[in-house]
Amino acid sequence: MSSPQQFPPREATVQEALQWISEGRCSSHDLVSRYLDFLETEGKELGAIVETFEAEALAAAKLSDKRREQGELLGPLDGIPFTAKMNITTAVGTTDASSAMLVGFEAGEDATVVRRLLGGGAVLVGKTSCDEFAMGATNETSCHGVVANPWDRSRVPGGSSGGAAALAGSHGWAFHLGSDTGGSIRLPAAFCSATGLKPTWGRVSRSGLIAFGSSLDQIGPIARDASDCALVLDCIEGADPLDSTSLHQLDESRDPIEKVALVSEGFGSGIDDSIREAVRAAAQEMEQHGVEVTEVSLPQLHAANACYQVIATAEASSNLARYDGIHVGSRVAADDLQLLYEKSRRAGFGVEVRRRILLGTFVLSAGYRDSYYSRAQAVRDLIREGVDHALEQVDALLLPVSPFAPFPIGERIDDPIALYACDILTVTANLAGVPALALPCGFDEAGLPIGMQLMGARGSDHRLLQFGQQWQQWTAHHRELPVGGAS
Ligand code: GLN
């Protein structure tokens, strides 16, 4: 009689799942098939997954098992399931950036990151929901519906990579590709108790990423822990002839992080007490393990969100100009060309996207360009200088990801200013182009996850991840799963 099928525990990381496979305790086919069940049930209930690729994924997993048998693995992630956010192109399925404008769009080719992962044997299992065109902090603006936070389904999972984080927060074995323009990997990771990295700008190719704010956008991993994120980064990073802004020279330093500074502005008024305390407690824990912890003031942080709103909307208005119903995007027929543009854009874009396009067009318009856009660029230089200067004294800067805990679905959706407040602590890393790693660091009294972030100098991505791995050996916050999920 055959013994019942065995699987790694639900919270198991990618590394642990790989161990199971390599020891022959389960196959990649078993793992992928069981993970697909999770996506079809809880993944769909959460609203996190839009499409799954069952036939393709199971066939790919079978091939991976064969390679393993023959000792011909393609890379360390061979046989491991992963998802891509709806704004990252894939040859299978659709890529619609969760917008009615692109619904049903088949890109027909893989983004560079996806191609590299598939080339390394990883198994693409589906596409995750996100805010429309990655504009949002709550995942309430997706044309596929609202995504729920697995820790409390009445609350938002954070955005815009909310689908990816909701999955990573509630199940292991897999990793997810998100994108981060102003916090969209880190905020949902913090809200769902997952680990996520926004890499140094240029480290990861943007070819195949649907552009939002090109000087800020980066693709990065969301997973259970920092060591899984490091495996993914190893596979996707590096120069790409299809993205002329991708970096040819990667800083390969793996020197340990020894000095960390708390950023005072991340602990001021407006930040929830429970969050301040959890991140300070994390700093103490680091000190107990021999890390030198100091405090630094970054007054430029107060200007970061205003600066971001100007630059991100300006770039968005330009990037989204192509969706006119003729070149790209769904068309609403009209007799007159101007009317066709207007009707197509009105029907295709949601309220938040339209708001950004209007704001961006305004800040770039003749007569206002100098007072808004050019000024924001000057402020961005100051922010970058401030961050660089602070990072000359220490190896990493530590602050919370979000000023508050995940809030109820619907609470802020009609109040854009309250929504933009979610981003006050995350946009700085994008403006400065530096890497930032979000790590779970505890829970508040209501049992809602709290996340902290570490920002490092440009190129120090692997140092941050290595430090994250260390921190996760000292603590167990990242092992927790929400109750209620079937095992
Ligand atoms: N919440 C931010 C915004 O709406 C960040 C989005 C992102 O990083 N894609 O602009």
PDB file of all heavy atoms in Angstrom, residues 225-227 254-260 285-286 289-291 395 437 439 452 454 462-476 478:
ATOM      1  N   ASP A 225      10.718  34.622   2.930  1.00  0.00           N
ATOM      2  CA  ASP A 225      11.856  35.149   3.694  1.00  0.00           C
ATOM      3  C   ASP A 225      12.932  35.726   2.773  1.00  0.00           C
ATOM      4  O   ASP A 225      12.836  35.648   1.537  1.00  0.00           O
ATOM      5  CB  ASP A 225      12.421  34.087   4.662  1.00  0.00           C
ATOM      6  CG  ASP A 225      13.194  32.982   3.957  1.00  0.00           C
ATOM      7  OD1 ASP A 225      13.315  33.026   2.718  1.00  0.00           O
ATOM      8  OD2 ASP A 225      13.688  32.070   4.661  1.00  0.00           O
ATOM      9  N   ALA A 226      13.951  36.303   3.414  1.00  0.00           N
ATOM     10  CA  ALA A 226      14.986  37.013   2.666  1.00  0.00           C
ATOM     11  C   ALA A 226      15.854  36.060   1.855  1.00  0.00           C
ATOM     12  O   ALA A 226      16.361  36.435   0.790  1.00  0.00           O
ATOM     13  CB  ALA A 226      15.849  37.833   3.632  1.00  0.00           C
ATOM     14  N   SER A 227      16.018  34.823   2.339  1.00  0.00           N
ATOM     15  CA  SER A 227      16.885  33.926   1.562  1.00  0.00           C
ATOM     16  C   SER A 227      16.194  33.523   0.258  1.00  0.00           C
ATOM     17  O   SER A 227      16.841  33.387  -0.776  1.00  0.00           O
ATOM     18  CB  SER A 227      17.325  32.700   2.375  1.00  0.00           C
ATOM     19  OG  SER A 227      16.214  32.004   2.830  1.00  0.00           O
ATOM     20  N   ARG A 254      29.362  41.492  -0.412  1.00  0.00           N
ATOM     21  CA  ARG A 254      28.511  40.769   0.545  1.00  0.00           C
ATOM     22  C   ARG A 254      29.011  41.039   1.962  1.00  0.00           C
ATOM     23  O   ARG A 254      28.799  40.240   2.869  1.00  0.00           O
ATOM     24  CB  ARG A 254      28.516  39.264   0.280  1.00  0.00           C
ATOM     25  CG  ARG A 254      28.278  38.849  -1.163  1.00  0.00           C
ATOM     26  CD  ARG A 254      26.824  38.523  -1.457  1.00  0.00           C
ATOM     27  NE  ARG A 254      26.571  38.566  -2.896  1.00  0.00           N
ATOM     28  CZ  ARG A 254      25.754  37.759  -3.569  1.00  0.00           C
ATOM     29  NH1 ARG A 254      25.100  36.838  -2.933  1.00  0.00           N
ATOM     30  NH2 ARG A 254      25.564  37.886  -4.853  1.00  0.00           N
ATOM     31  N   ASP A 255      29.728  42.169   2.132  1.00  0.00           N
ATOM     32  CA  ASP A 255      30.215  42.500   3.476  1.00  0.00           C
ATOM     33  C   ASP A 255      29.048  42.563   4.446  1.00  0.00           C
ATOM     34  O   ASP A 255      28.004  43.104   4.114  1.00  0.00           O
ATOM     35  CB  ASP A 255      30.916  43.868   3.473  1.00  0.00           C
ATOM     36  CG  ASP A 255      32.207  43.828   2.675  1.00  0.00           C
ATOM     37  OD1 ASP A 255      32.678  42.703   2.394  1.00  0.00           O
ATOM     38  OD2 ASP A 255      32.706  44.903   2.313  1.00  0.00           O
ATOM     39  N   PRO A 256      29.237  42.042   5.651  1.00  0.00           N
ATOM     40  CA  PRO A 256      28.117  42.070   6.592  1.00  0.00           C
ATOM     41  C   PRO A 256      27.724  43.501   6.981  1.00  0.00           C
ATOM     42  O   PRO A 256      28.565  44.392   7.003  1.00  0.00           O
ATOM     43  CB  PRO A 256      28.647  41.302   7.803  1.00  0.00           C
ATOM     44  CG  PRO A 256      30.122  41.251   7.651  1.00  0.00           C
ATOM     45  CD  PRO A 256      30.411  41.363   6.187  1.00  0.00           C
ATOM     46  N   ILE A 257      26.453  43.675   7.268  1.00  0.00           N
ATOM     47  CA  ILE A 257      25.968  44.972   7.758  1.00  0.00           C
ATOM     48  C   ILE A 257      26.233  45.035   9.246  1.00  0.00           C
ATOM     49  O   ILE A 257      25.806  44.159  10.001  1.00  0.00           O
ATOM     50  CB  ILE A 257      24.488  45.128   7.389  1.00  0.00           C
ATOM     51  CG1 ILE A 257      24.414  45.495   5.903  1.00  0.00           C
ATOM     52  CG2 ILE A 257      23.788  46.145   8.270  1.00  0.00           C
ATOM     53  CD1 ILE A 257      23.048  45.693   5.349  1.00  0.00           C
ATOM     54  N   GLU A 258      26.990  46.042   9.657  1.00  0.00           N
ATOM     55  CA  GLU A 258      27.374  46.135  11.070  1.00  0.00           C
ATOM     56  C   GLU A 258      26.781  47.355  11.758  1.00  0.00           C
ATOM     57  O   GLU A 258      26.640  47.381  12.967  1.00  0.00           O
ATOM     58  CB  GLU A 258      28.910  46.178  11.178  1.00  0.00           C
ATOM     59  CG  GLU A 258      29.522  44.820  10.851  1.00  0.00           C
ATOM     60  CD  GLU A 258      31.016  44.874  10.581  1.00  0.00           C
ATOM     61  OE1 GLU A 258      31.566  45.986  10.438  1.00  0.00           O
ATOM     62  OE2 GLU A 258      31.627  43.788  10.510  1.00  0.00           O
ATOM     63  N   LYS A 259      26.479  48.389  10.952  1.00  0.00           N
ATOM     64  CA  LYS A 259      25.960  49.631  11.542  1.00  0.00           C
ATOM     65  C   LYS A 259      24.627  49.979  10.906  1.00  0.00           C
ATOM     66  O   LYS A 259      24.523  50.079   9.683  1.00  0.00           O
ATOM     67  CB  LYS A 259      26.926  50.783  11.267  1.00  0.00           C
ATOM     68  CG  LYS A 259      28.259  50.662  11.947  1.00  0.00           C
ATOM     69  CD  LYS A 259      29.061  51.898  11.615  1.00  0.00           C
ATOM     70  CE  LYS A 259      30.484  51.749  12.125  1.00  0.00           C
ATOM     71  NZ  LYS A 259      31.333  52.827  11.625  1.00  0.00           N
ATOM     72  N   VAL A 260      23.628  50.169  11.765  1.00  0.00           N
ATOM     73  CA  VAL A 260      22.285  50.504  11.285  1.00  0.00           C
ATOM     74  C   VAL A 260      21.837  51.771  11.997  1.00  0.00           C
ATOM     75  O   VAL A 260      22.075  51.934  13.190  1.00  0.00           O
ATOM     76  CB  VAL A 260      21.309  49.340  11.597  1.00  0.00           C
ATOM     77  CG1 VAL A 260      19.875  49.737  11.337  1.00  0.00           C
ATOM     78  CG2 VAL A 260      21.669  48.094  10.773  1.00  0.00           C
ATOM     79  N   GLU A 285      16.839  44.159  19.289  1.00  0.00           N
ATOM     80  CA  GLU A 285      17.216  42.769  18.991  1.00  0.00           C
ATOM     81  C   GLU A 285      18.523  42.749  18.185  1.00  0.00           C
ATOM     82  O   GLU A 285      19.423  41.945  18.442  1.00  0.00           O
ATOM     83  CB  GLU A 285      16.071  42.153  18.178  1.00  0.00           C
ATOM     84  CG  GLU A 285      16.250  40.709  17.832  1.00  0.00           C
ATOM     85  CD  GLU A 285      15.633  39.773  18.873  1.00  0.00           C
ATOM     86  OE1 GLU A 285      14.560  40.097  19.400  1.00  0.00           O
ATOM     87  OE2 GLU A 285      16.270  38.738  19.147  1.00  0.00           O
ATOM     88  N   MET A 286      18.615  43.655  17.236  1.00  0.00           N
ATOM     89  CA  MET A 286      19.846  43.727  16.418  1.00  0.00           C
ATOM     90  C   MET A 286      21.039  44.076  17.298  1.00  0.00           C
ATOM     91  O   MET A 286      22.113  43.498  17.173  1.00  0.00           O
ATOM     92  CB  MET A 286      19.684  44.792  15.321  1.00  0.00           C
ATOM     93  CG  MET A 286      18.701  44.415  14.243  1.00  0.00           C
ATOM     94  SD  MET A 286      18.434  45.781  13.092  1.00  0.00           S
ATOM     95  CE  MET A 286      16.954  45.226  12.260  1.00  0.00           C
ATOM     96  N   HIS A 289      22.556  41.410  19.135  1.00  0.00           N
ATOM     97  CA  HIS A 289      23.374  40.517  18.305  1.00  0.00           C
ATOM     98  C   HIS A 289      24.606  41.222  17.769  1.00  0.00           C
ATOM     99  O   HIS A 289      25.199  40.786  16.778  1.00  0.00           O
ATOM    100  CB  HIS A 289      22.539  39.924  17.164  1.00  0.00           C
ATOM    101  CG  HIS A 289      21.591  38.863  17.631  1.00  0.00           C
ATOM    102  ND1 HIS A 289      20.335  39.148  18.094  1.00  0.00           N
ATOM    103  CD2 HIS A 289      21.740  37.521  17.747  1.00  0.00           C
ATOM    104  CE1 HIS A 289      19.740  38.021  18.454  1.00  0.00           C
ATOM    105  NE2 HIS A 289      20.577  37.019  18.259  1.00  0.00           N
ATOM    106  N   GLY A 290      24.955  42.335  18.407  1.00  0.00           N
ATOM    107  CA  GLY A 290      26.220  42.977  18.085  1.00  0.00           C
ATOM    108  C   GLY A 290      26.167  44.035  16.988  1.00  0.00           C
ATOM    109  O   GLY A 290      27.201  44.563  16.584  1.00  0.00           O
ATOM    110  N   VAL A 291      24.979  44.367  16.505  1.00  0.00           N
ATOM    111  CA  VAL A 291      24.876  45.414  15.482  1.00  0.00           C
ATOM    112  C   VAL A 291      24.925  46.777  16.192  1.00  0.00           C
ATOM    113  O   VAL A 291      24.309  46.952  17.240  1.00  0.00           O
ATOM    114  CB  VAL A 291      23.548  45.283  14.688  1.00  0.00           C
ATOM    115  CG1 VAL A 291      23.418  46.371  13.640  1.00  0.00           C
ATOM    116  CG2 VAL A 291      23.434  43.901  14.075  1.00  0.00           C
ATOM    117  N   ASP A 395      25.644  51.317   7.439  1.00  0.00           N
ATOM    118  CA  ASP A 395      25.441  50.371   6.334  1.00  0.00           C
ATOM    119  C   ASP A 395      23.984  50.312   5.885  1.00  0.00           C
ATOM    120  O   ASP A 395      23.695  49.942   4.751  1.00  0.00           O
ATOM    121  CB  ASP A 395      25.856  48.958   6.769  1.00  0.00           C
ATOM    122  CG  ASP A 395      27.310  48.913   7.219  1.00  0.00           C
ATOM    123  OD1 ASP A 395      28.144  49.525   6.532  1.00  0.00           O
ATOM    124  OD2 ASP A 395      27.601  48.276   8.252  1.00  0.00           O
ATOM    125  N   LEU A 437      14.480  46.712   1.684  1.00  0.00           N
ATOM    126  CA  LEU A 437      13.985  45.371   1.998  1.00  0.00           C
ATOM    127  C   LEU A 437      12.944  45.454   3.111  1.00  0.00           C
ATOM    128  O   LEU A 437      13.222  45.999   4.175  1.00  0.00           O
ATOM    129  CB  LEU A 437      15.168  44.503   2.470  1.00  0.00           C
ATOM    130  CG  LEU A 437      14.855  43.102   2.987  1.00  0.00           C
ATOM    131  CD1 LEU A 437      14.293  42.211   1.878  1.00  0.00           C
ATOM    132  CD2 LEU A 437      16.110  42.464   3.598  1.00  0.00           C
ATOM    133  N   LEU A 439      10.689  43.555   5.882  1.00  0.00           N
ATOM    134  CA  LEU A 439      10.713  42.317   6.668  1.00  0.00           C
ATOM    135  C   LEU A 439       9.613  42.363   7.725  1.00  0.00           C
ATOM    136  O   LEU A 439       9.422  43.407   8.364  1.00  0.00           O
ATOM    137  CB  LEU A 439      12.050  42.195   7.405  1.00  0.00           C
ATOM    138  CG  LEU A 439      13.329  42.132   6.574  1.00  0.00           C
ATOM    139  CD1 LEU A 439      14.535  42.465   7.439  1.00  0.00           C
ATOM    140  CD2 LEU A 439      13.482  40.759   5.947  1.00  0.00           C
ATOM    141  N   MET A 452       8.975  46.257   8.827  1.00  0.00           N
ATOM    142  CA  MET A 452      10.019  47.301   8.865  1.00  0.00           C
ATOM    143  C   MET A 452      10.772  47.246   7.543  1.00  0.00           C
ATOM    144  O   MET A 452      10.684  46.264   6.813  1.00  0.00           O
ATOM    145  CB  MET A 452      10.982  47.055  10.017  1.00  0.00           C
ATOM    146  CG  MET A 452      11.749  45.759   9.902  1.00  0.00           C
ATOM    147  SD  MET A 452      12.880  45.569  11.292  1.00  0.00           S
ATOM    148  CE  MET A 452      13.622  43.983  10.905  1.00  0.00           C
ATOM    149  N   LEU A 454      14.624  48.146   5.559  1.00  0.00           N
ATOM    150  CA  LEU A 454      16.036  48.509   5.611  1.00  0.00           C
ATOM    151  C   LEU A 454      16.414  49.068   4.253  1.00  0.00           C
ATOM    152  O   LEU A 454      16.187  48.419   3.232  1.00  0.00           O
ATOM    153  CB  LEU A 454      16.884  47.266   5.877  1.00  0.00           C
ATOM    154  CG  LEU A 454      16.839  46.724   7.295  1.00  0.00           C
ATOM    155  CD1 LEU A 454      17.188  45.247   7.303  1.00  0.00           C
ATOM    156  CD2 LEU A 454      17.810  47.493   8.198  1.00  0.00           C
ATOM    157  N   HIS A 462      22.295  42.647  -2.086  1.00  0.00           N
ATOM    158  CA  HIS A 462      22.596  41.347  -1.476  1.00  0.00           C
ATOM    159  C   HIS A 462      23.076  41.472  -0.040  1.00  0.00           C
ATOM    160  O   HIS A 462      22.871  40.564   0.768  1.00  0.00           O
ATOM    161  CB  HIS A 462      23.599  40.569  -2.337  1.00  0.00           C
ATOM    162  CG  HIS A 462      22.956  39.958  -3.547  1.00  0.00           C
ATOM    163  ND1 HIS A 462      22.118  38.872  -3.476  1.00  0.00           N
ATOM    164  CD2 HIS A 462      22.985  40.321  -4.855  1.00  0.00           C
ATOM    165  CE1 HIS A 462      21.675  38.570  -4.687  1.00  0.00           C
ATOM    166  NE2 HIS A 462      22.182  39.434  -5.544  1.00  0.00           N
ATOM    167  N   ARG A 463      23.692  42.606   0.264  1.00  0.00           N
ATOM    168  CA  ARG A 463      24.076  42.816   1.676  1.00  0.00           C
ATOM    169  C   ARG A 463      22.818  42.920   2.534  1.00  0.00           C
ATOM    170  O   ARG A 463      22.741  42.364   3.633  1.00  0.00           O
ATOM    171  CB  ARG A 463      24.899  44.103   1.820  1.00  0.00           C
ATOM    172  CG  ARG A 463      26.243  44.050   1.151  1.00  0.00           C
ATOM    173  CD  ARG A 463      27.006  45.335   1.390  1.00  0.00           C
ATOM    174  NE  ARG A 463      27.463  45.454   2.770  1.00  0.00           N
ATOM    175  CZ  ARG A 463      27.864  46.599   3.325  1.00  0.00           C
ATOM    176  NH1 ARG A 463      27.841  47.718   2.630  1.00  0.00           N
ATOM    177  NH2 ARG A 463      28.278  46.635   4.568  1.00  0.00           N
ATOM    178  N   LEU A 464      21.828  43.665   2.033  1.00  0.00           N
ATOM    179  CA  LEU A 464      20.570  43.805   2.783  1.00  0.00           C
ATOM    180  C   LEU A 464      19.912  42.434   2.954  1.00  0.00           C
ATOM    181  O   LEU A 464      19.443  42.087   4.049  1.00  0.00           O
ATOM    182  CB  LEU A 464      19.588  44.720   2.041  1.00  0.00           C
ATOM    183  CG  LEU A 464      19.899  46.209   1.978  1.00  0.00           C
ATOM    184  CD1 LEU A 464      18.787  46.930   1.212  1.00  0.00           C
ATOM    185  CD2 LEU A 464      20.029  46.813   3.380  1.00  0.00           C
ATOM    186  N   LEU A 465      19.886  41.669   1.880  1.00  0.00           N
ATOM    187  CA  LEU A 465      19.235  40.358   1.946  1.00  0.00           C
ATOM    188  C   LEU A 465      19.960  39.429   2.914  1.00  0.00           C
ATOM    189  O   LEU A 465      19.344  38.662   3.652  1.00  0.00           O
ATOM    190  CB  LEU A 465      19.175  39.730   0.548  1.00  0.00           C
ATOM    191  CG  LEU A 465      18.157  40.382  -0.399  1.00  0.00           C
ATOM    192  CD1 LEU A 465      18.389  39.959  -1.841  1.00  0.00           C
ATOM    193  CD2 LEU A 465      16.729  40.023   0.028  1.00  0.00           C
ATOM    194  N   GLN A 466      21.279  39.531   2.913  1.00  0.00           N
ATOM    195  CA  GLN A 466      22.060  38.696   3.817  1.00  0.00           C
ATOM    196  C   GLN A 466      21.764  39.072   5.275  1.00  0.00           C
ATOM    197  O   GLN A 466      21.598  38.215   6.141  1.00  0.00           O
ATOM    198  CB  GLN A 466      23.525  38.952   3.517  1.00  0.00           C
ATOM    199  CG  GLN A 466      24.454  37.845   3.882  1.00  0.00           C
ATOM    200  CD  GLN A 466      25.811  38.140   3.263  1.00  0.00           C
ATOM    201  OE1 GLN A 466      26.059  37.796   2.101  1.00  0.00           O
ATOM    202  NE2 GLN A 466      26.658  38.810   4.004  1.00  0.00           N
ATOM    203  N   PHE A 467      21.653  40.379   5.506  1.00  0.00           N
ATOM    204  CA  PHE A 467      21.320  40.847   6.851  1.00  0.00           C
ATOM    205  C   PHE A 467      19.899  40.412   7.221  1.00  0.00           C
ATOM    206  O   PHE A 467      19.636  40.003   8.358  1.00  0.00           O
ATOM    207  CB  PHE A 467      21.460  42.370   6.929  1.00  0.00           C
ATOM    208  CG  PHE A 467      21.248  42.915   8.307  1.00  0.00           C
ATOM    209  CD1 PHE A 467      22.155  42.642   9.316  1.00  0.00           C
ATOM    210  CD2 PHE A 467      20.139  43.701   8.606  1.00  0.00           C
ATOM    211  CE1 PHE A 467      21.970  43.144  10.605  1.00  0.00           C
ATOM    212  CE2 PHE A 467      19.943  44.207   9.887  1.00  0.00           C
ATOM    213  CZ  PHE A 467      20.864  43.918  10.877  1.00  0.00           C
ATOM    214  N   GLY A 468      18.994  40.488   6.237  1.00  0.00           N
ATOM    215  CA  GLY A 468      17.615  40.034   6.460  1.00  0.00           C
ATOM    216  C   GLY A 468      17.582  38.570   6.861  1.00  0.00           C
ATOM    217  O   GLY A 468      16.833  38.165   7.753  1.00  0.00           O
ATOM    218  N   GLN A 469      18.425  37.774   6.222  1.00  0.00           N
ATOM    219  CA  GLN A 469      18.475  36.335   6.542  1.00  0.00           C
ATOM    220  C   GLN A 469      18.941  36.132   7.970  1.00  0.00           C
ATOM    221  O   GLN A 469      18.434  35.280   8.695  1.00  0.00           O
ATOM    222  CB  GLN A 469      19.435  35.610   5.598  1.00  0.00           C
ATOM    223  CG  GLN A 469      18.924  35.498   4.188  1.00  0.00           C
ATOM    224  CD  GLN A 469      19.963  34.918   3.235  1.00  0.00           C
ATOM    225  OE1 GLN A 469      20.621  33.942   3.548  1.00  0.00           O
ATOM    226  NE2 GLN A 469      20.103  35.527   2.071  1.00  0.00           N
ATOM    227  N   GLN A 470      19.921  36.952   8.345  1.00  0.00           N
ATOM    228  CA  GLN A 470      20.441  36.852   9.704  1.00  0.00           C
ATOM    229  C   GLN A 470      19.347  37.187  10.713  1.00  0.00           C
ATOM    230  O   GLN A 470      19.101  36.458  11.663  1.00  0.00           O
ATOM    231  CB  GLN A 470      21.565  37.865   9.851  1.00  0.00           C
ATOM    232  CG  GLN A 470      22.821  37.255  10.362  1.00  0.00           C
ATOM    233  CD  GLN A 470      23.929  38.281  10.355  1.00  0.00           C
ATOM    234  OE1 GLN A 470      23.694  39.503  10.319  1.00  0.00           O
ATOM    235  NE2 GLN A 470      25.138  37.803  10.393  1.00  0.00           N
ATOM    236  N   TRP A 471      18.680  38.307  10.437  1.00  0.00           N
ATOM    237  CA  TRP A 471      17.600  38.756  11.331  1.00  0.00           C
ATOM    238  C   TRP A 471      16.525  37.674  11.439  1.00  0.00           C
ATOM    239  O   TRP A 471      15.979  37.409  12.500  1.00  0.00           O
ATOM    240  CB  TRP A 471      17.049  40.088  10.798  1.00  0.00           C
ATOM    241  CG  TRP A 471      15.630  40.367  11.162  1.00  0.00           C
ATOM    242  CD1 TRP A 471      14.530  40.183  10.380  1.00  0.00           C
ATOM    243  CD2 TRP A 471      15.152  40.884  12.407  1.00  0.00           C
ATOM    244  NE1 TRP A 471      13.398  40.535  11.051  1.00  0.00           N
ATOM    245  CE2 TRP A 471      13.753  40.980  12.301  1.00  0.00           C
ATOM    246  CE3 TRP A 471      15.773  41.262  13.597  1.00  0.00           C
ATOM    247  CZ2 TRP A 471      12.956  41.442  13.333  1.00  0.00           C
ATOM    248  CZ3 TRP A 471      14.972  41.728  14.636  1.00  0.00           C
ATOM    249  CH2 TRP A 471      13.590  41.808  14.505  1.00  0.00           C
ATOM    250  N   GLN A 472      16.243  37.017  10.328  1.00  0.00           N
ATOM    251  CA  GLN A 472      15.200  35.989  10.351  1.00  0.00           C
ATOM    252  C   GLN A 472      15.677  34.702  11.022  1.00  0.00           C
ATOM    253  O   GLN A 472      14.864  33.840  11.346  1.00  0.00           O
ATOM    254  CB  GLN A 472      14.664  35.763   8.930  1.00  0.00           C
ATOM    255  CG  GLN A 472      13.837  36.984   8.503  1.00  0.00           C
ATOM    256  CD  GLN A 472      13.294  36.942   7.098  1.00  0.00           C
ATOM    257  OE1 GLN A 472      13.893  36.358   6.203  1.00  0.00           O
ATOM    258  NE2 GLN A 472      12.147  37.580   6.883  1.00  0.00           N
ATOM    259  N   GLN A 473      16.995  34.590  11.233  1.00  0.00           N
ATOM    260  CA  GLN A 473      17.451  33.463  12.053  1.00  0.00           C
ATOM    261  C   GLN A 473      17.285  33.787  13.546  1.00  0.00           C
ATOM    262  O   GLN A 473      17.111  32.911  14.371  1.00  0.00           O
ATOM    263  CB  GLN A 473      18.914  33.145  11.752  1.00  0.00           C
ATOM    264  CG  GLN A 473      19.056  32.276  10.516  1.00  0.00           C
ATOM    265  CD  GLN A 473      20.437  32.319   9.912  1.00  0.00           C
ATOM    266  OE1 GLN A 473      21.387  32.807  10.516  1.00  0.00           O
ATOM    267  NE2 GLN A 473      20.558  31.823   8.698  1.00  0.00           N
ATOM    268  N   TRP A 474      17.364  35.091  13.863  1.00  0.00           N
ATOM    269  CA  TRP A 474      17.218  35.494  15.273  1.00  0.00           C
ATOM    270  C   TRP A 474      15.763  35.509  15.706  1.00  0.00           C
ATOM    271  O   TRP A 474      15.445  35.445  16.882  1.00  0.00           O
ATOM    272  CB  TRP A 474      17.787  36.909  15.489  1.00  0.00           C
ATOM    273  CG  TRP A 474      19.222  37.067  15.116  1.00  0.00           C
ATOM    274  CD1 TRP A 474      20.187  36.104  15.120  1.00  0.00           C
ATOM    275  CD2 TRP A 474      19.859  38.268  14.654  1.00  0.00           C
ATOM    276  NE1 TRP A 474      21.370  36.623  14.698  1.00  0.00           N
ATOM    277  CE2 TRP A 474      21.213  37.954  14.412  1.00  0.00           C
ATOM    278  CE3 TRP A 474      19.431  39.585  14.444  1.00  0.00           C
ATOM    279  CZ2 TRP A 474      22.136  38.893  13.956  1.00  0.00           C
ATOM    280  CZ3 TRP A 474      20.343  40.526  13.986  1.00  0.00           C
ATOM    281  CH2 TRP A 474      21.685  40.171  13.748  1.00  0.00           C
ATOM    282  N   THR A 475      14.846  35.706  14.760  1.00  0.00           N
ATOM    283  CA  THR A 475      13.430  35.924  15.095  1.00  0.00           C
ATOM    284  C   THR A 475      12.550  34.974  14.294  1.00  0.00           C
ATOM    285  O   THR A 475      13.008  34.359  13.353  1.00  0.00           O
ATOM    286  CB  THR A 475      13.017  37.364  14.737  1.00  0.00           C
ATOM    287  OG1 THR A 475      13.273  37.549  13.344  1.00  0.00           O
ATOM    288  CG2 THR A 475      13.786  38.395  15.535  1.00  0.00           C
ATOM    289  N   ALA A 476      11.261  34.903  14.665  1.00  0.00           N
ATOM    290  CA  ALA A 476      10.391  33.946  13.974  1.00  0.00           C
ATOM    291  C   ALA A 476       9.119  34.599  13.420  1.00  0.00           C
ATOM    292  O   ALA A 476       8.201  33.894  13.002  1.00  0.00           O
ATOM    293  CB  ALA A 476      10.032  32.824  14.929  1.00  0.00           C
ATOM    294  N   HIS A 478       8.478  35.899  10.645  1.00  0.00           N
ATOM    295  CA  HIS A 478       8.203  35.524   9.250  1.00  0.00           C
ATOM    296  C   HIS A 478       7.703  34.088   9.104  1.00  0.00           C
ATOM    297  O   HIS A 478       7.309  33.682   8.017  1.00  0.00           O
ATOM    298  CB  HIS A 478       9.472  35.703   8.410  1.00  0.00           C
ATOM    299  CG  HIS A 478      10.576  34.776   8.801  1.00  0.00           C
ATOM    300  ND1 HIS A 478      11.226  34.859  10.007  1.00  0.00           N
ATOM    301  CD2 HIS A 478      11.117  33.713   8.163  1.00  0.00           C
ATOM    302  CE1 HIS A 478      12.124  33.892  10.082  1.00  0.00           C
ATOM    303  NE2 HIS A 478      12.084  33.186   8.973  1.00  0.00           N
TER     304      HIS A 478
END
